[in-house]
Structure formats: C-alpha cells, structure tokens
Amino acid sequence: MTSTLTKPARSPDGLRQAESILRAGGCVAVPTETVYGLACDATSSKAVANVYAAKGRPSFNPLIAHVDGFERARSLIELSPLAKKLAQTFWPGPLTIVAPLKENAEVSDLVTAGLTTLAVRWPNSDAMCTLISRLDRPLAAPSANKSGSTSPTRAAHVEDGLAGIIPLILDAGASPVGVESTIVQTQGESVVLLRPGGITRERIETVLGNSLEEGKFDRSQPNAPGQLSSHYAPSAKLRLNVSSPNDGEGFLTFGDTSKSDGPMFNLSTDGDLIEAASLLFEGMRWLDQRCERIAVSPIPASGLGEAINDRLRRAAAPQ
Ligand code: TXA
Ligand code: MG
C-alpha cells in the first residue's frame, strides 16, 4: 500500500516531486486537457511495467507517448506530409498520431507492445509538457484509471481507482475536453480513424480535404486502439437511446428532456456537445454511485457526438 498525495499541478513542490518520482521509474497522475493520464518515463521498461501493473492493463494494449513539441515527435515517428499537416493544425491538443516508429527512437518496447508503429501526442497540458521538458524524455501515459473502467476527468476520479497504488496525483481541476484524444493512423497518403475523440472527424476531414478511412477492427489483434468492445465501463448497466427511464433507473440526459423521479444528470441542458463531452465521464461516475441501471438519452452523432456515442456504446457492451 502506497500513500497517495494530491498536489496542485501548478505548485513548484508538486512538479518537483513528480519529476523525481518519474526519474526513479515511478508513475504519477498528470492532468491533460482530455483526461488525467498516468505518466511514466517512456524510455524505461521498468517504469512502463509499473504503469501496466497499476492499471491492471493487458500487456497487448500499447500506450501513447506524449511529447512537448514537434522536434521530439519527429525523433520518434516518421511523419508523412499529411501527418505533419494534422500535427501543425491540432497540436498541442487532443489528437494522437500513430505512425511508423523510427529505428533509433528511444522508447521502450512495452510502450508499442511490440508493434512497429507508435502513438504520439503533444497535449495541451502545462504540467505534462513541463515534466517532459524537465526529464528531456517522452512520457507514456494511458488514462489514469483501472483498465476497463471510466476515464478520470478530475483528481478525485483518479483517487477513486488508484489511491494506495500510485504515489502522487497532480490536480488541475476538471479536464476541459473530457473525452480522450482522437487517434488517427497515418502511413503515406492514408489516414485511418482508429478512435473518435476530442478533435471531431469533421475538423480533420476539412484539413485533409478528404474523408477519413475507417479503422478495421480485428478482434484477434486488439492492439489497434481502444478497441476492446467493453471499455470505459461503470458498474451500472447502461441502456442507450432511451427517451424516458424505467422505475429505478438513473437518467443520463442531453438537452431539454423531461424530468425523471430517479437520479438524473444532464450533460448539457442547452444541447451543446462540447459541454456534454466535458461532463460525460463525470456524469457516468455520478450516476454509477447512485444506481444499478442507467438509461441514456439519444445523443446526436455529429461532431463530438461521435466520440460520446463511441464511449457510451463501449460502456454499455456486455463485460
Ligand atoms: O487523451 C488521451 O489520449 C489520453 C491522455 C492521457 O493522453 N490517453 C489515453 O490513453 O486515452 P489510453 O492508453 O487510455 O488509450 C490509448 C489508445 C489505446 O486504445 C491503444 O490501443 C491505442 O491508443 N494505441 C496506442 N498505440 C497504438 C499503436 N501503435 N497502434 C494502434 N493503436 C495504438
Ligand atoms: Mg483508457
């Protein structure tokens, strides 16, 4: 049992302590604009193994290497012209680019889980970027939750899953985007959407001037991303596209919906998908603590609705 401290992400003391834990091969929960990540030195297999162990994560699922700029990204992966264009448009921000790993890239095999590609993201997070710069190394960071459970968008959510397991959580309040990064795989002229997320398909397609190709889901090779069909799951059972809940069901709603007698969490009374994404995991956790079954209103499929519906489908999948 480790005692877990929570410190403000801006405090010099918190950052110093995070730096020394990371240098020693440990892991620290660090806020990002999407969700909180469980960061470790991506060049150290010992450190990455610590993260897998803390999360109880199946070892075939590779991690994202976080960087603090284009130069570090270029030292790790081959950026095609289209990948460069996407990076220049959306970094720092909620876009992860999977691309061929460079031969001399300094990154542990445990980060790629043995693949010849690597997922890289430059997050819009002062704490994460400061730590990467101070270590002068990429930080690998999956979401800071037990594998398969709901991603954390607040320090308290990290504590719920990982208190007593990790030494330090840096706290920067609620993650503004609230769903994980969009993951695209680029190779030559091809750009494949592997996971919808914080940057919408529409924005990416506008930059490409083309439609994104769909990621092929191969069940025998779940190393393509977030593709385990049951994921992000609360303990409660979810029922999707419900306009009025049954007795005893909690209600996760969107827009101007009718009242319910049971616990109710509205993702956005104004029907704003950006607000809804930022509150999605928080709402799922809040209802999960209050009911065994959760009904979910229909949510539009466009814009950030694609990522929201993706997370809801996975949360509702049989476990
Ligand atoms: O917003 C985010 O992306 C957050 C924050 C902390 O950056 N991170 C995150 O990491 O969501 P994680 O580990 O929960 O999800 C990363 C996904 C996994 O589903 C993994 O399978 C996929 O990325 N992935 C990583 N490397 C890959 C690769 N080389 N090829 C295909 N998929 C990959
Ligand atoms: Mg995750």
Side-chain angles (χ1 to χ4, degrees), residues 3 8 12 39 62 70 92 99 107 125 129 139 142 144 168 171 187 206 209 219 229 253 262 267 269 275 282 303 308:
S3 67
F70 291 112
V107 64
S125 156
C129 290
L139 290 178
L168 178 66
D171 184 352
Q187 192 152 25
T206 302
R219 212 169 263 287
S229 48
T253 63
L267 293 170
T269 45
E275 182 181 26
E282 177 150 0
I308 296 172

Side-chain angles (χ1 to χ4, degrees), residues 157-221:
H157 302 164
V158 180
E159 274 168 35
D160 286 347
L162 298 175
I165 297 175
I166 61 170
L168 178 66
I169 302 169
L170 295 180
D171 184 352
S175 294
V177 175
V179 289
E180 296 85 347
S181 60
T182 302
I183 305 181
V184 294
Q185 178 152 12
T186 62
Q187 192 152 25
E189 295 287 283
S190 128
V191 184
V192 179
L193 178 65
L194 295 179
R195 177 177 76 181
I199 302 283
T200 63
R201 166 197 295 277
E202 292 86 341
R203 290 181 67 197
I204 295 174
E205 291 181 342
T206 302
V207 172
L208 295 177
N210 238 322
S211 300
L212 278 164
E213 297 168 41
E214 294 308 312
K216 283 181 206 77
F217 174 36
D218 179 353
R219 212 169 263 287
S220 63
Q221 296 223 310

Side-chain angles (χ1 to χ4, degrees), residues 13 15 22 36 43-44 60 71 80 85 130 137 145 167 232 270 272 315:
D13 170 47
L15 286 168
L22 292 169
Y36 279 65
T43 69
S44 157
F60 51 71
E71 204 182 318
S80 70
K85 204 165 163 191
T130 300
R137 290 174 178 192
N145 52 280
Y232 312 103
D270 300 337
D272 175 355

